[in-house]
Amino acid sequence: MADNKRSKVITQGVERTPNRAMLRATGFRDEDFDKPIVGVGNAHSTITPCNMGIGAMAAQAAEALRAAGTMPQSFGTITISDGISMGTEGMKYSLVSREVIADSIETVCNGQRMDGVLATGGCDKNMPGAMIGIARLNIPAIFVYGGTIKPGHYKDQDLTIVSAFEAVGQYSAGNLSDEDLLGVERNACPGAGSCGGMYTANTMSSAFEAMGMSLMGSSTVSAVDEEAKTVAARAAEVLVDAIRHQRLPRDIMTREAFENAFAVVMALGGSTNAVLHLLAIANACEVDFSIDDVEAIRNKVPVLCDLKPSGTYVTSQFHEVGGTPQVMKMLLARGLLHGDCMTVAGKSIEELLADVPADPPADQNIIMPFDKPLYDRGHLAILRGNLAEEGAVAKVTGIKKRQITGPARVFDSEEECMQAILNDRVKAGDVVVVRYEGPKGGPGMREMLAPTSALIGRGLGDSVGLITDGRFSGGTYGMVVGHVAPEAYVGGTIGLVQEDDEITIDADRNLLQLNVSDEELQRRRSAWNKPEPRYRRGVLAKYAKLVSSACFGAVTDKDLEL
C-alpha cells in the first residue's frame, strides 16, 4: 500500500497503545494494525424501500474488503424518504439531509483517519450527499448504489410511486374509482429499491457512473437481484486497488467528468434535481461549473431514452437493454463524451466502453437510435428573465405547449397551492406561482410532486404552468419551472408577483418573465418586507442561515465568512 496511509498513526509510538486497545475490541489482531482502514458508509434503513436492501450490500462489501487485505469499519448514514414526506412539513428536511449525509461521512472518515471509503445509498439525497462528502475528503472512494425498484403492476399497467400521486388527482377529479385508487396504492411499490423511473435516484446513480466514481454498469441494477450484491463486492475490490495506487476523487471528478455527467443526464431525460446536486458536488470539488454550462451541454446532446416520468419505460427495463453504458457509448462514438477521463477502476471511460456497441439493440424501443432521438436537444433548460435573474430550471421535453402566457395564481406555500388545485381554483391557462419554498424561505426547498401530479391527474398538465423557488421531484413533468433564483425570501422578483399578473414561460426562448413594468416592480420592491423566519432553532434554522442560492447548488459551505 502507499506510504502515505492515513491510519498508520495507530501503530506508531507507545502513546498509541490506547488506540490499539480500543481497536482490538472491534476485532483487530496484531497483524491488522498495518492494514488500510476503510470506512463503509452504510445507508441501510427501513424508513423507505429505497434503502432497505442496502444492509446486505454493505455487509458483502465489508467482507470483500477484509478478504482483499484491509480492515473495514462500518458506520451509519441517514436517509429521508422523499416519497413518504412529500407534501408535508417533513419534506423540508429532504434537501437538508444531503448536507447531513455529507457532513457525517466527512466527520467519520476524517475523525478516524480512514484510508478510503465505500459509500452506499438508495434514496435521492444519499447519492449527492455521499459524493459531496467524498469530494471534501479526497481520499480513495467509490459509490455503491442500492439499486432501483421493480415496477408494480395493476390492470396491465406498470406502476411507480408517481402513479400513486397522479391517482390522487384523477380521483379528486372524479376520474378514478375507490377500488382503482386503492389498487394503485397497494401495487405501486412491490419491494426494495429506489423509485423506478428515471427519477432523481436513478439519474444521480447514472451520473456517478458517467463520472467514473462507481462501477460501469452498476447504476441501473435492481435492488432485489443478486447482481446488486455482486456489484458491492466488486466495488470493494476496485476501491482497494484505488487505495493502493492513490486514485483520488478530485483527480477523477474533473470539469470534463462533470461535462460527461450532464451529457448522460440529458440523454437519459433525467431529473431536474441533477442540476442542483451536480453543481453542489462541483463546488465541493472546487471545479468551476455553472448553470450556464448546463445549457451549453443541452444544446449539443439529444434525449435518447423513452423513460418515465414523461416517457414509457422504467429503469429496470432500461438496464435489460444496455443501460447507462449503452447510452455512454453512443455519446462517445459521436464525440459527445470525454473518453480519456479516468475512473476509480483505473481505466479510462473509453477503455471501459470498448466492448459496448456504438448503437442500441434493434429489437427494443427504450433507447432510440442516435439519428432518431426522442428530442433533438436536451430536456433540462436554464430559463432567465426578470423572474429568474440568477436562473431557473425547467424540464421542457414531453410537453405539448412550449410557451404559455397566463394569469398568475399566487400561493405562499405548497399546501395552499394543493388545496386550490383540489378545489378547482386552478384553470387551464393559469400560471401557478408557489413561493417562499426556496432554500432559505422554506427552508429546505421542498419538492412539488403533489401539486404537479394533481394537475396531471386532473388533466391540466399540458395547459397550466407552475413556477416555484422550490424544487420538483424527479417524477415531475409538464410545463413546470423550479429553482427560481433569487428566491422570494431574499427579495427575488417571484416574491413581488400579485394575483392575475401576466407571466410568460417560453421554453424556446429560455424565458421566464413577469409582464409588469420596471416602475411597478420597483414600487412593489420598496414596499416588500422580508417575512419572519419559519424556524429559529434546530437543523432547519441552521440550514437557512448557511444555505446559498439554488443557482450554486444550495450548498451550505460556499464562501463562509470565518
Side-chain angles (χ1 to χ4, degrees):
M1 295 294 173
D3 289 336
N4 60 344
K5 183 156 63 71
R6 301 203 318 170
S7 59
K8 67 183 179 181
V9 294
I10 65 173
T11 69
Q12 294 175 349
V14 68
E15 70 276 9
R16 295 302 177 187
T17 298
N19 305 117
R20 294 196 297 271
M22 294 191 73
L23 286 169
R24 286 185 193 279
T26 71
F28 276 65
R29 298 163 298 178
D30 288 345
E31 62 268 26
D32 296 328
F33 288 109
D34 285 323
K35 295 177 181 177
I37 295 178
V38 181
V40 179
N42 187 349
H44 175 81
S45 170
T46 58
I47 286 174
T48 169
C50 307
N51 290 55
M52 66 186 192
I54 287 176
M57 295 177 68
Q60 191 84 14
E63 184 178 322
L65 286 166
R66 186 172 286 107
T70 73
M71 289 302 291
Q73 290 191 305
S74 295
F75 61 93
T77 64
I78 68 158
T79 194
I80 295 293
S81 173
D82 291 8
I84 296 172
S85 65
M86 197 77 68
T88 75
E89 194 78 357
M91 185 63 196
K92 293 182 178 181
Y93 288 85
S94 172
L95 188 58
V96 176
S97 76
R98 184 188 76 179
E99 308 308 303
V100 176
I101 293 165
D103 291 350
S104 68
I105 291 173
E106 177 191 1
T107 299
V108 172
C109 291
N110 269 342
Q112 299 303 121
R113 309 306 294 159
M114 290 176 176
D115 298 298
V117 60
L118 183 148
T120 63
C123 201
D124 293 6
K125 306 311 173 294
N126 298 176
M127 274 75 76
M131 203 58 66
I132 290 169
I134 284 169
R136 292 176 188 166
L137 290 165
N138 203 33
I139 60 175
I142 195 167
F143 182 80
V144 178
Y145 182 41
T148 185
I149 197 172
K150 297 275 192 177
H153 301 284
Y154 180 68
K155 290 190 173 180
D156 297 323
Q157 288 188 335
D158 287 339
L159 302 178
T160 69
I161 183 59
V162 176
S163 307
F165 281 93
E166 292 179 1
V168 172
Q170 293 171 327
Y171 180 80
S172 68
N175 297 325
L176 198 69
S177 67
D178 290 353
E179 177 187 357
D180 287 340
L181 178 66
L182 188 59
V184 171
E185 181 261 303
R186 284 175 170 169
N187 293 282
C189 297
S194 298
C195 298
M198 193 47 66
Y199 308 150
T200 303
N202 289 320
T203 298
M204 294 309 300
S205 66
S206 297
F208 290 178
E209 186 173 312
M211 295 177 77
M213 287 301 298
S214 58
L215 294 187
M216 189 67 70
S218 66
S219 64
T220 52
V221 299
S222 291
V224 297
D225 289 349
E226 192 64 27
E227 184 181 10
K229 292 182 182 178
T230 303
V231 164
R234 175 61 185 147
E237 295 167 359
V238 167
L239 175 58
V240 173
D241 188 65
I243 294 170
R244 180 176 293 114
H245 292 93
Q246 285 298 289
R247 287 191 290 274
L248 303 180
R250 292 201 193 185
D251 295 332
I252 296 168
M253 290 192 285
T254 61
R255 178 182 169 86
E256 289 74 20
F258 281 96
E259 290 178 356
N260 284 350
F262 273 111
V264 167
V265 168
M266 294 294 180
L268 297 179
S271 167
T272 54
N273 283 311
V275 178
L276 194 77
H277 297 326
L278 287 169
L279 289 177
I281 298 165
N283 173 75
C285 290
E286 298 183 77
V287 168
D288 184 15
F289 205 95
S290 74
I291 57 173
D292 294 322
D293 295 312
V294 176
E295 181 65 23
I297 293 169
R298 179 178 88 89
N299 287 320
K300 296 188 291 186
V301 179
V303 178
L304 298 172
C305 300
D306 185 15
L307 297 170
K308 291 180 180 291
S310 58
T312 306
Y313 299 95
V314 296
T315 304
S316 59
Q317 295 166 323
F318 173 57
H319 184 70
E320 292 171 0
V321 297
T324 303
Q326 178 62 77
V327 172
M328 291 177 67
K329 184 58 176 279
M330 293 170 69
L331 296 176
L332 178 67
R334 278 80 182 180
L336 295 172
L337 218 61
H338 300 284
D340 58 345
C341 282
M342 187 51 59
T343 71
V344 66
K347 294 184 178 180
S348 69
I349 292 289
E350 187 170 14
E351 288 175 310
L352 291 176
L353 295 174
D355 295 331
V356 178
D359 295 298
D363 58 345
Q364 53 82 43
N365 297 308
I366 300 173
I367 306 174
M368 300 294 105
F370 193 86
D371 58 354
K372 296 180 180 178
L374 256 67
Y375 304 98
D376 292 332
R377 297 187 349 176
H379 64 300
L380 299 180
I382 305 303
L383 273 54
R384 293 187 186 272
N386 66 358
L387 262 174
E389 293 168 339
E390 294 178 353
V393 181
K395 186 185 286 188
V396 298
T397 50
I399 56 175
K400 295 178 181 178
K401 293 178 64 176
R402 295 180 61 83
Q403 303 92 21
I404 184 170
T405 296
R409 299 290 169 254
V410 184
F411 307 98
D412 287 348
S413 72
E414 179 187 6
E415 288 85 355
E416 290 180 19
C417 173
M418 186 66 178
Q419 199 58 52
I421 294 169
L422 296 180
N423 291 341
D424 285 328
R425 288 167 47 207
V426 175
K427 307 295 184 183
D430 288 346
V431 177
V432 174
V433 178
V434 187
R435 62 192 183 189
Y436 295 104
E437 291 285 5
K440 287 183 176 293
M445 210 177 177
R446 284 194 289 185
E447 294 179 350
M448 304 292 149
L449 180 59
T452 57
S453 296
L455 287 172
I456 289 167
R458 297 176 77 82
L460 296 172
D462 294 318
S463 58
V464 169
L466 190 152
I467 71 171
T468 180
D469 51 10
R471 298 181 295 129
F472 293 113
S473 163
T476 294
Y477 61 101
M479 181 58 93
V480 296
V481 184
H483 309 192
V484 172
E487 61 175 293
Y489 187 78
V490 301
T493 305
I494 189 172
L496 307 180
V497 181
Q498 296 181 0
E499 190 76 7
D500 289 320
D501 279 351
E502 186 182 85
I503 292 175
T504 295
I505 307 171
D506 191 327
D508 292 324
R509 293 192 292 158
N510 293 71
L511 181 67
L512 183 61
Q513 187 76 14
L514 176 62
N515 299 317
V516 170
S517 70
D518 291 343
E519 292 78 13
E520 173 61 15
L521 285 179
Q522 184 56 48
R523 185 191 67 77
R524 295 182 188 179
R525 184 164 280 112
S526 299
W528 178 84
N529 293 304
K530 179 183 287 191
E532 289 295 312
R534 287 169 169 163
Y535 295 85
R536 292 190 176 274
R537 299 181 68 85
V539 67
L540 291 181
K542 289 190 288 185
Y543 181 85
K545 182 76 171 177
L546 294 172
V547 70
S548 73
S549 169
C551 74
F552 301 119
V555 297
T556 54
D557 61 350
K558 183 174 178 59
D559 302 327
L560 289 179
E561 295 183 7
L562 301 180

